[in-house]
C-alpha cells in the first residue's frame, strides 16, 4: 500500500479522517481505490482489499452496515435485513444491496444503497449486545416480515426460532407493539406460518409450499424408532401412510461416502415398510410435481394396507 500506515479499526474499517491523520490526501485515497488496494465501503469509510476478498455477501453487508452506522446519526440502529445479518439469522436469496437503518423520530430516506426508516422504536427493541446498535431479534423478525415476501420472511423467522434467539410469545408481543405500522398484516400472516422445527431455508419453503398445495399437515423432525432402537430423524412425516418426505438441499451430498450413507439410511426406512419421497430446490418452483409424488406414495401405502388386511382377515 503506502509507506504511511492506516490502521483499520476492530471491524476492519478505515475512516477518511483516520487516513488524513496518517498523512494521506483525498487524491491518495482515490488512487488507492483505483488500484484496488482500498475498497470504498460507503462515502468516507474504506477497507483493505485483502479483507473484502475473504468476505461472503453477508460479511460484506455486515461491514457496510457498520460503516453506514458510523456515518449516520448517533441514534441510528441497524434494522430489518441488516439486523438479521448481524444476528446471524439464515437468509435465502434476500437482496443485500441496500443497508437498512432505523432512526426513531428521524427523517426517512432511500438511496440505491441505504434505506433509513423513521418508525418508532421502543428501547426494549434495541440491543447493543452485538457491539453494534441493532434492533432486537424479535423486532428484526417483525420488521423483515413487514418488508419481505412470505418465503423470505419465514426463512428468517424460522431461523430465529430454531436458534432460540426469539420465542413465539416474544414475536407476538413485538407484533402487538408494531400494530399500527405499514405491512403489519403481512407480518401477522408470516409469523403465523413460522416454526422453529424447520432446519434449513429449503425446509421452511417446503413447508409453505405444502400449505399452498393442500398437503395434510406433516410432523416435522419426527424421530423414528423400532422398539427402543433409533432408526432415523426425518424432515417430514405423515403417520397415516408411514410416509417420509425429505428435502435435499444443495451440497447435501458432498462426497460419495455421504451419498452411500444416505442410500443405506433410505434402504433401512423402506425395509421397515416406510414410503420415502424426496425433492430438491428446483422442485420448490414446480411443487405440483411434488404433490403428485406425494399422492402416488400415499396410494401405494393404502394398497399395501388393503393387501395386509385381506391377507390377515
Amino acid at each position: 500500500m503506502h509507506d504511511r500506515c492506516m490502521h483499520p479499526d476492530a471491524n476492519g474499517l478505515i475512516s477518511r479522517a483516520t487516513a488524513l491523520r496518517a498523512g494521506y490526501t483525498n487524491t491518495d485515497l482515490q488512487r488507492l481505490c483505483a488500484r484496488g488496494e482500498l475498497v470504498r465501503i460507503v462515502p468516507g469509510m474504506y477497507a483493505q482489499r485483502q479483507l473484502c476478498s475473504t468476505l461472503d455477501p453477508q460479511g460484506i453487508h455486515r461491514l457496510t452496515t457498520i460503516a453506514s452506522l458510523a456515518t449516520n446519526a448517533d441514534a441510528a440502529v441497524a434494522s430489518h435485513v441488516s439486523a438479521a445479518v448481524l444476528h446471524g439469522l439464515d437468509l435465502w436469496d434476500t437482496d443485500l444491496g441496500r443497508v437498512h437503518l432505523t432512526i426513531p423520530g428521524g427523517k426517512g430516506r432511500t438511496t440505491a444503497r441505504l434505506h433509513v426508516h423513521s418508525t418508532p422504536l421502543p428501547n426494549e427493541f434495541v440491543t447493543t449486545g452485538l457491539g453494534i446498535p441493532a434492533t432486537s431479534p424479535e423486532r428484526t423478525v417483525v420488521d423483515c416480515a413487514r418488508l419481505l415476501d412470505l418465503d423470505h420472511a419465514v426463512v428468517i423467522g424460522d431461523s430465529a426460532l430454531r436458534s432460540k434467539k426469539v420465542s413465539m410469545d416474544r414475536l407476538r408481543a413485538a407484533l402487538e407493539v408494531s400494530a399500527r405500522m405499514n405491512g403489519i398484516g403481512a407480518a401477522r400472516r408470516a409469523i403465523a406460518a413460522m416454526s422453529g422445527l424447520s432446519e434449513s431455508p429449503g425446509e421452511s419453503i417446503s413447508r409453505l409450499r405444502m400449505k399452498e398445495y393442500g398437503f395434510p399437515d406433516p410432523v416435522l423432525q419426527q424421530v423414528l424408532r423400532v422398539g427402543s432402537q433409533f432408526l432415523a430423524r426425518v424432515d417430514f412425516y405423515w403417520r397415516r401412510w408411514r410416509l417420509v418426505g425429505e428435502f435435499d438441499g444443495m451440497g447435501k451430498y458432498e462426497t460419495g461416502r455421504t451419498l452411500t450413507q444416505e442410500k443405506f439410511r433410505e434402504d433401512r426406512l423402506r425395509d421397515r415398510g416406510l414410503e420415502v419421497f424426496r425433492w430438491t430446490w428446483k422442485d420448490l418452483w414446480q411443487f405440483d410435481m411434488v404433490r403428485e409424488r406425494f399422492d402416488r406414495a400415499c396410494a401405494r401405502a393404502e394398497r399395501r394396507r388393503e393387501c395386509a388386511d385381506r391377507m390377515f382377515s
Side-chain angles (χ1 to χ4, degrees):
M1 190 177 283
H2 213 288
D3 289 336
R4 288 160 287 173
C5 190
M6 288 186 289
H7 293 289
D9 66 15
N11 295 302
L13 290 165
I14 301 167
S15 70
R16 177 177 173 274
T18 296
L20 295 179
R21 283 197 298 271
Y24 289 81
T25 66
N26 288 326
T27 301
D28 290 332
L29 292 173
Q30 291 171 2
R31 187 179 299 115
L32 290 168
C33 288
R35 293 207 304 251
E37 295 183 43
L38 280 185
V39 177
R40 191 179 80 152
I41 304 300
V42 301
M45 297 293 287
Y46 305 86
Q48 294 176 349
R49 179 192 59 192
Q50 296 95 314
L51 170 64
C52 294
S53 67
T54 67
L55 299 176
D56 61 12
Q58 292 193 32
I60 291 291
H61 189 84
R62 180 182 184 278
L63 195 65
T64 307
T65 299
I66 296 169
S68 299
L69 284 166
T71 55
N72 274 274
D74 289 344
V77 302
S79 61
H80 299 74
V81 296
S82 299
V85 169
L86 294 177
H87 286 297
L89 302 181
D90 284 347
L91 302 176
W92 167 74
D93 196 33
T94 303
D95 182 6
L96 295 178
R98 183 178 285 149
V99 167
H100 290 260
L101 306 180
T102 293
I103 304 178
K107 186 176 180 180
R109 68 184 190 277
T110 303
T111 68
R113 298 188 63 192
L114 179 66
H115 188 159
V116 175
H117 304 261
S118 60
T119 52
L121 189 56
N123 288 338
E124 66 263 31
F125 293 138
V126 177
T127 178
T128 56
L130 304 167
I132 305 158
T135 50
S136 65
E138 60 268 29
R139 176 58 183 259
T140 298
V141 171
V142 170
D143 282 346
C144 288
R146 292 192 302 109
L147 185 71
L148 303 175
D149 64 34
L150 186 66
D151 285 356
H152 292 87
V154 169
V155 165
I156 290 170
D158 282 2
S159 173
L161 288 165
R162 180 172 65 252
S163 63
K164 309 298 185 186
K165 292 179 179 176
V166 302
S167 65
M168 191 56 76
D169 286 343
R170 283 163 56 193
L171 282 180
R172 293 190 184 111
L175 261 179
E176 293 314 307
V177 173
S178 308
R180 295 181 180 274
M181 293 183 180
N182 292 336
I184 198 63
R188 289 188 191 282
R189 289 190 294 274
I191 287 171
M194 292 174 186
S195 169
L197 292 176
S198 288
E199 295 190 335
S200 70
E203 289 181 32
S204 296
I205 299 172
S206 295
R207 205 177 67 248
L208 296 177
R209 296 292 182 273
M210 289 175 188
K211 184 68 69 175
E212 179 183 350
Y213 281 84
F215 280 62
D217 289 338
V219 178
L220 305 180
Q221 307 306 326
Q222 174 70 50
V223 174
L224 301 174
R225 300 180 185 277
V226 178
S228 61
Q229 182 182 0
F230 174 82
L231 183 61
R233 183 164 64 91
V234 298
D235 298 340
F236 302 90
Y237 184 62
W238 291 268
R239 283 195 179 92
R240 174 180 170 182
W241 299 282
R242 289 174 55 79
L243 176 58
V244 170
E246 295 275 77
F247 172 75
D248 287 340
M250 195 177 207
K252 187 171 183 178
Y253 305 132
E254 293 182 354
T255 68
R257 180 179 180 184
T258 52
L259 177 58
T260 300
Q261 289 172 339
E262 188 62 25
K263 183 180 182 303
F264 285 158
R265 175 178 177 271
E266 191 167 314
D267 287 344
R268 287 197 304 272
L269 292 171
R270 290 198 167 102
D271 185 53
R272 295 293 181 174
L274 292 144
E275 283 282 344
V276 181
F277 77 112
R278 298 179 172 277
W279 61 94
T280 65
W281 274 109
K282 181 180 177 181
D283 296 322
L284 294 176
W285 318 121
Q286 46 191 18
F287 214 70
D288 55 327
M289 297 174 63
V290 179
R291 177 65 207 236
E292 290 172 6
R293 268 182 262 160
F294 172 82
D295 290 339
R296 289 195 297 271
C298 291
R300 289 193 297 271
E302 293 286 3
R303 286 195 296 271
R304 280 202 311 273
R305 181 184 297 174
E306 290 170 3
C307 288
D309 289 344
R310 287 196 298 269
M311 185 179 301
F312 297 106
S313 60

